[in-house]
Amino acid sequence: MGNSAVKPLLLPAVVAALWLLSGLGYSVLVNDGRLPAAFTALVFPDTLPIRAQVLLDNPGRVLVAGLTALAVAAATLALLPAPGRTGATPRRTRFLAAWMSVALAAVAGSAALGTGMVLADWPTGQEAWVFTMVSPVLLTGAYWGIAWGWLPALVSLAARTHDDDALPPEARSTGPRRTWALGAFVLFSAAVLVALPLTARSL
């Protein structure tokens, strides 16, 4: 029973850890100065944008990065398709579905982060500037989902056993899990929208 309770949380835990690792790797390598920022961003997408880092002090950065990682993880769990109800689903299909779930969740979490950055800098006085700030954040989230999303998708695939396909449909229902995950995503996204403006420094 303990294993069945922990297994669904493995994917979002890996997603959150990799999201934080990517942002930390970018910051460390860029500050080191040995690699160009553009090249570093290809390997370690900047999940906590420079503008957000400028607005926040160290505790604020940790808080916002952690909340965003949790939002992305919760969105991944909410978007993950339910196991097939008509026999075993091909492994490649389950892998691609999990990968796409991670990519879409990364965009959703990035949208919350970008919106929080806009609120922290409000009023801007220029409507176009809002899109200038949010667009790169969304693109970074999408790229992270493609470049890194296959890793948690592999973990999800490895954690699933053939026994899962043998379960009756009612035992494989993901309705409650999806509802809780969606609620968690809304909660963590709202926390990002509140925390980022509140912890932002006046520049």
Side-chain angles (χ1 to χ4, degrees):
M1 180 170 179
N3 185 43
S4 63
V6 171
K7 192 163 61 171
L9 299 178
L10 182 60
L11 175 63
V14 172
V15 168
L18 291 177
W19 182 269
L20 293 173
L21 177 63
S22 180
L24 179 63
Y26 179 86
S27 296
V28 169
L29 291 175
V30 167
N31 290 334
D32 184 58
R34 296 182 183 180
L35 294 174
F39 175 79
T40 303
L42 290 176
V43 182
F44 293 94
D46 185 16
T47 56
L48 187 62
I50 295 297
R51 181 58 184 165
Q53 295 187 36
V54 170
L55 288 171
L56 302 168
D57 55 16
N58 285 333
R61 292 173 193 164
V62 172
L63 175 64
V64 171
L67 289 172
T68 306
L70 291 173
V72 173
T76 299
L77 193 57
L79 292 169
L80 193 67
R85 297 176 181 270
T86 57
T89 305
R91 288 175 61 85
R92 63 178 176 273
T93 302
R94 298 199 306 263
F95 169 73
L96 291 174
W99 192 355
M100 182 57 66
S101 298
V102 175
L104 292 174
V107 173
S110 297
L113 178 60
T115 304
M117 291 167 55
V118 170
L119 293 176
D121 261 355
W122 196 264
T124 61
Q126 295 180 352
E127 295 179 3
W129 182 85
V130 173
F131 298 100
T132 302
M133 174 176 285
V134 175
S135 295
V137 179
L138 293 176
L139 290 174
T140 297
Y143 177 73
W144 182 91
I146 298 301
W148 286 62
W150 62 273
L151 286 168
L154 276 180
V155 170
S156 173
L157 194 64
R160 185 171 173 186
T161 64
H162 294 294
D163 295 337
D164 295 334
D165 294 319
L167 292 173
E170 61 273 11
R172 288 181 283 164
S173 175
T174 57
R177 181 202 73 186
R178 197 180 306 278
T179 301
W180 281 102
L182 185 58
F185 168 72
V186 172
L187 178 65
F188 291 130
S189 296
V192 170
L193 297 181
V194 172
L196 212 162
L198 286 181
T199 57
R201 296 177 291 186
S202 56
L203 301 177

